Structure formats: structure tokens, C-alpha cells
Amino acid sequence: MAGAAGAGRAKGGRMSRITHDLCDLLGIPHHGAGRSRREEAQNFDRATVERSPARTQSGSDSSSLHPSATPIPVQSLLTSAPTSPNRRLILAGGSGFLGGLLARHFAAKGWDIVILTRRSDAANATGREVRWDGECLGDWVRELDGSDVVINLAGRSVNCRYHARNRRLVLDSRVNATRVLGEAIARCARPPRVWFNLSTATIYKHTFGPAWNETGEIGATPEARDAFSIEVATAWEHAFNEAVTPQTCKVAIRSAMVFGLNADANNVYRVLRRLVRFGLGDRMGSGRQFVSWIHETDFCRAVEFLIGREDLSGPVNLSAPNPLTNAEMMAVLRRVLRRSVGLPATEWMLELGAFFLRTETELIIKSRRVVPGRLCDAGFKFEFTQLEDAIRDLEHRL
């Protein structure tokens, strides 16, 4: 009996470790041909509905302040915008994994980088940090005036249990940040030329069939348990589309998971690598679910490519052109890392682990089969079209 209990504890510990890493793994959630970005933005703005005004840092709506309160004058937010001969990139919510990738990429090309952040990390930041709360207009607005590009990456991690409080935080952190950025850009005397807003490839319907391009079906599937994720993704893009910015082109980045080397908690590749090296790198659940991905270099190159294209706006998929199944992905990882076998994580293990680790299995079991239709049609050339090549490059640089 003692031996059986010990074996049970060992199995339970192994299961907990497996599911912990697996649940960390995905800790995330038609334009007319021939028209310019500006023409599309103006045409869309004429059809938008009235929005709620953004709040000032006093916490009140700017249109309904108490008579004794002193609102922040719009001009005072804009008159002190810094000047520089270099192009300026604003990364809202840019202190995480993707923000770090983009900051280093564009800083190396001579851009001035401004990171709007709730938390300061000056020792590791690439660029100048400016405090914001992602909800209220404030002094940070002056950074947008005269800037060239704004990229909004703000949003609470979806690696949590979807109870009422977390649902509100996940949704509000994305929608509020998007709305206040729209208000800020609308107030700029010299608005940025392009505004990218992060979205997600999860917006597309769970599928084992043909891959979705930007015209793919959007909607929830009971099998994937993704109703809340679809709600968040659609509300996020709706807030972005509502923003009236006639002089600023808008691109929604429907990103797949990004493979990179940054030592960030949301770095998918490092979690996968650890699983495989510990002998745990086999299929997750059925292994049939498709995985869409993109190498960190191509993610940054694609954003740079889109900055230079005046004819592309609206949703754009940022994913490599060759998604593969979860089982195939894990086999590639084992081959590159020279591990002949790995233990699988069954569906009941994922369910039990997700409950105890306070996360959701949807992050792993949903089949995301997405391809970069508009990028490829526009002539973008990927450096890494096959996952094995991407992983070998990352391993070479470790």
C-alpha cells in the first residue's frame, strides 16, 4: 500500500508539472481592393457608432466632470510632445514579450522607442518608459502627437480561470486600452500615420478542415470551449474599429503564437523546450488540434512590412504559412532537441491540471489553423515557413 501511495504521489507530481507547463504554454486568449489605407479609414469612420468618451486621470468621463473639477486641457497634453529627427514608435503595453521583440527590432533600425507601461523596468527596457494606466487620458498623450506608429499590445493574460472577476479584467484591460488610445489619437494635432492593435488568431472558428485566412469564419465551438475567448476577441476588435481616426490607418494584428528566445513568462518556445528536455514532449490531448505559429524575426519583419504599405488596413493574420498539428509540432521539437520519446498529456490530465492551476484547457485544445492570406498576397516573404527551420534557428542562437 505504501508503495502504491508513493507511486500515486509520483504520478500526481509528474502530472502537475506537465499540466503546469502545458497551461503556461498558451497563456494568452473586407477592405476594398485598390483603396488606400486613409481612404478605407475615412470610409469606415463614417459608418461607426457613437462611443463612450475616455476618462481623464481624475477617473471621470471628460464630458461629465464635476463643475468644481479641473479637466486636463487637450492642448496641455499635446504642446510638450518631444521632437526627434528619428521616427518614433509608441508601444502601448509594451513591457512584455512582444513589446520587447518589437522594441529591439526597431531600435536597431534607428527608431525612437516609447513604451507606455503600468510598471517600470528601466534596467531592461529598450527605449523610454512613460507611465499610463490603460484607461485614462493623461500626460502620456503628448507622446502620440507627432509619432509615426502606435502599436497597442495591452491586455491582461488569459492564463487564468474564467470566473466573473477574471473575465471582467481580461475583457476590460483590452477594450479600455483600445478606446483610450483611440481618444488620444483623435485629439492629436499631428496624429500617428499607422495604429496597430493586437488581436488574436483565436478569433477564428475551431477547425480541423481548411485553414482560415482573413475571411475565415468567426465564432465559438462547444468542443473547443472557446466562447469567452471569442467574446473577448470580437469586443477587442469592435472597440478598435469604432475609433474615429480619419488621419490614421488602422491594422488589427491577428497573431498566432510567436516563437522566440526572450526570457519572458509568456515565451511559448522556452516552455515547449523545457517539456521536451524533461521527457514530457509528446502530444497534448488528442494531438489532432492545429497549431499556428510565427518566428520572432518574421513577426517583427511583418509589422515593419505593414508600416510601409499604404494599401493594407483592417485585419491581417500574422502567422507562418504552414500550421501543423500539435502531435506534429511536438515530434519536430523532439527531433531537433534529440529526444527520441516523450510522455503525452491526456485530456483528463489537462482538465485536472487546469482546475488546480487555475487556468483553462481551451488554451491548449482549440484547433487554430490560420494562414497569412493578405501578407502573402501583398508579397511578404517569410524567412521561416517551416517550424523545424524556425526551431533550429532558435537553438543555434541559444
Side-chain angles (χ1 to χ4, degrees):
M1 290 296 291
R9 285 193 297 272
K11 181 177 179 181
R14 186 185 309 117
M15 180 193 72
S16 177
R17 186 170 67 253
I18 293 170
T19 50
H20 187 282
D21 278 341
L22 293 180
C23 293
D24 277 349
L25 173 62
L26 294 177
I28 50 174
H30 208 61
H31 82 297
R35 291 184 295 179
S36 71
R37 273 181 172 171
R38 179 165 297 181
E39 288 172 334
E40 288 191 79
Q42 291 171 334
N43 288 341
F44 182 84
D45 289 338
R46 284 194 290 267
T48 56
V49 298
E50 182 178 353
R51 296 172 297 130
S52 299
R55 291 180 294 167
T56 65
Q57 287 186 332
S58 65
S60 304
D61 288 346
S62 58
S63 61
S64 58
L65 291 170
H66 188 277
S68 63
T70 304
I72 302 174
V74 174
Q75 290 305 315
S76 72
L77 299 177
L78 305 180
T79 54
S80 300
T83 59
S84 168
N86 298 331
R87 290 176 292 179
R88 194 188 330 150
L89 170 63
I90 310 297
L91 293 172
S95 57
F97 173 54
L98 294 181
L101 292 179
L102 292 167
R104 289 188 295 274
H105 177 84
F106 285 96
K109 294 178 177 292
W111 287 62
D112 288 336
I113 309 299
V114 178
I115 300 170
L116 303 184
T117 180
R118 292 180 173 89
R119 65 181 190 274
S120 178
D121 188 17
N124 298 313
T126 301
R128 181 164 53 87
E129 291 189 331
V130 174
R131 188 62 63 89
W132 84 324
D133 65 1
E135 295 183 357
C136 306
L137 296 173
D139 289 345
W140 59 268
V141 175
R142 66 168 60 95
E143 303 292 342
L144 276 62
D145 195 68
S147 66
D148 296 277
V149 178
V150 172
I151 304 178
N152 178 27
L153 306 169
R156 186 195 191 280
S157 172
V158 298
N159 187 17
C160 60
R161 294 298 282 182
Y162 293 160
H163 56 64
R165 180 175 180 274
N166 281 344
R167 284 173 181 260
R168 177 174 52 80
L169 291 172
V170 167
L171 182 60
D172 289 353
S173 63
R174 287 162 172 76
V175 171
N176 290 345
T178 300
R179 284 177 175 166
V180 78
L181 278 171
E183 291 285 348
I185 291 172
R187 294 170 182 240
C188 287
R190 296 167 298 159
R193 184 169 59 86
V194 187
W195 173 16
F196 294 94
N197 215 65
L198 187 64
S199 182
T200 173
T202 296
I203 198 169
Y204 297 109
K205 197 164 187 178
H206 173 80
T207 183
F208 298 101
W212 300 125
N213 62 16
E214 289 82 357
T215 64
E217 186 177 356
I218 293 173
T221 304
E223 177 186 358
R225 304 172 190 174
D226 60 350
F228 177 64
S229 293
I230 299 300
E231 177 189 348
V232 170
T234 52
W236 199 2
E237 289 199 5
H238 180 68
F240 182 53
N241 292 337
E242 277 191 320
V244 181
T245 59
Q247 297 184 69
T248 300
C249 307
K250 299 187 295 186
V251 179
I253 300 174
R254 292 178 177 172
S255 179
M257 66 179 184
V258 180
F259 278 62
L261 292 178
N262 191 13
D264 185 271
N266 290 325
N267 186 331
V268 171
Y269 178 66
R270 287 191 180 273
V271 175
L272 285 169
R273 188 175 189 272
R274 186 165 66 248
L275 287 171
V276 173
R277 289 175 65 85
F278 289 168
L280 310 174
D282 204 340
R283 61 177 174 79
M284 303 171 190
S286 71
R288 295 175 54 242
Q289 68 272 30
F290 278 87
V291 178
S292 292
W293 60 276
I294 187 170
H295 187 284
E296 61 178 12
T297 297
D298 283 331
F299 178 85
C300 295
R301 289 180 59 247
V303 171
E304 185 177 11
F305 176 84
L306 290 168
I307 289 173
R309 290 296 300 257
E310 290 294 329
D311 58 333
L312 290 175
S313 65
V316 177
N317 293 345
L318 261 61
S319 61
N322 294 299
L324 69 174
T325 67
N326 174 271
E328 290 168 340
M329 176 184 72
M330 299 311 294
V332 168
L333 283 160
R334 292 197 306 273
R335 182 163 59 249
V336 174
L337 296 173
R338 299 181 180 179
R339 296 293 192 274
S340 57
V341 296
L343 297 177
T346 62
E347 292 190 23
W348 73 264
M349 292 171 65
L350 296 177
E351 289 289 348
L352 188 60
F355 175 79
F356 284 109
L357 295 170
R358 315 312 297 163
T359 189
E360 297 288 341
T361 57
E362 177 260 324
L363 302 176
I364 299 170
I365 65 175
K366 177 167 181 174
S367 184
R368 299 166 175 87
R369 194 175 192 182
V370 176
V371 291
R374 298 186 69 196
L375 269 179
C376 290
D377 290 346
F380 180 76
K381 303 299 182 185
F382 285 84
E383 288 189 14
F384 300 95
T385 60
Q386 302 295 331
L387 182 63
E388 183 161 345
D389 295 334
I391 293 174
R392 290 192 184 281
D393 174 76
L394 296 177
E395 285 297 307
H396 178 73
R397 294 193 284 119
L398 272 175

